[in-house]
Amino acid sequence: HTDRFGGDLLNISLAQIRDMVDTPQNIGKASAQWFIPSDIITRKKETHLEIGSYYALWADLDDNPPNIQDLADLVMGFIGDGLDCDFEIYTSKSAKEDYQKSRIIIPLASKVNADDFEMLQECLNDWLESNEITPDRSSQSANQLCYLPNKGDYYDSLNSRESLFLNAKEFFSKELIAKKT
């Protein structure tokens, strides 16, 4: 779901997000569109934890971020042990060509509950850190919003749209077992 220009929360599809990656909004951050990859139309964390299902993982990379081509290469497995899945990578409103703050959205092969979502977000962030990328760990909260593409002075994006959605529970199976234990 998303908050479009301060109104009621609305649903947003992956196709609509992809359109925004290709043609980003260009407005102030306070009015910028965001989403939570859940099927529950609320910002209340308790409700998400109780009944929410999630359809994507995401990361916010603001602290010493890689350039987005290196990030895409990592995800695709051209460097190290990649996720080898579809993704949308886009620079954030305050990105510069030589400092590419960015976000990545990774569609999931199947929905997960909120508890698994929070652990999988932690696994994704751990994976990024193991590859020397520092994520903003606030993404590990079930109700944390992710800003959608919003063009600044510098904007770039990369994606993979091959219908290769991430089976996160399988990819991070060992990490999930360790975290649950």
Side-chain angles (χ1 to χ4, degrees):
H1 61 81
T2 190
D3 172 14
R4 185 173 181 144
F5 310 115
D8 293 333
L9 297 181
L10 304 170
N11 290 323
I12 189 167
S13 68
L14 179 58
Q16 290 169 309
I17 291 172
R18 287 174 170 169
D19 286 344
M20 289 185 75
V21 169
D22 296 340
T23 310
Q25 59 192 333
N26 187 2
I27 56 180
K29 186 173 180 177
S31 301
Q33 200 170 349
W34 51 262
F35 89 117
I36 298 171
S38 167
D39 61 356
I40 303 303
I41 301 181
T42 183
R43 295 256 350 248
K44 294 180 182 173
K45 184 173 183 174
E46 300 78 25
T47 305
H48 284 284
L49 291 172
E50 186 178 325
I51 59 175
S53 294
Y54 291 78
Y55 298 87
L57 300 179
W58 66 279
D60 185 8
L61 308 173
D62 290 334
D63 184 19
N64 197 27
N67 70 57
I68 65 170
Q69 183 62 62
D70 288 346
L71 182 58
D73 288 349
L74 175 67
V75 173
M76 291 304 298
F78 300 141
I79 306 169
D81 186 22
L83 300 174
D84 194 25
C85 64
D86 283 6
F87 59 84
E88 301 293 326
I89 298 173
Y90 52 93
T91 56
S92 63
K93 180 84 171 168
S94 59
K96 306 288 182 212
E97 187 171 4
D98 62 347
Y99 201 82
Q100 297 182 9
K101 294 181 178 184
S102 62
R103 292 188 183 81
I104 181 169
I105 298 173
I106 301 170
L108 295 175
S110 58
K111 66 183 179 179
V112 297
N113 67 35
D115 289 333
D116 286 341
F117 171 77
E118 288 187 331
M119 280 192 280
L120 288 167
Q121 282 290 127
E122 187 177 338
C123 290
L124 174 62
N125 287 333
D126 292 347
W127 179 81
L128 288 165
E129 282 191 349
S130 75
N131 286 285
E132 300 180 9
I133 298 171
T134 305
D136 180 342
R137 292 218 173 239
S138 65
S139 65
Q140 295 170 194
S141 179
N143 69 331
Q144 180 63 40
L145 57 90
C146 172
Y147 280 98
L148 291 166
N150 190 7
K151 189 174 183 176
D153 292 336
Y154 173 80
Y155 180 80
D156 199 5
S157 66
L158 292 170
N159 59 65
S160 176
R161 299 174 180 169
E162 303 294 325
S163 296
L164 297 172
F165 299 145
L166 179 63
N167 184 338
K169 285 184 173 182
E170 181 179 308
F171 186 86
F172 294 119
S173 61
K174 292 175 187 165
E175 294 85 350
L176 282 173
I177 290 168
K179 288 180 186 307
K180 288 179 179 181
T181 300

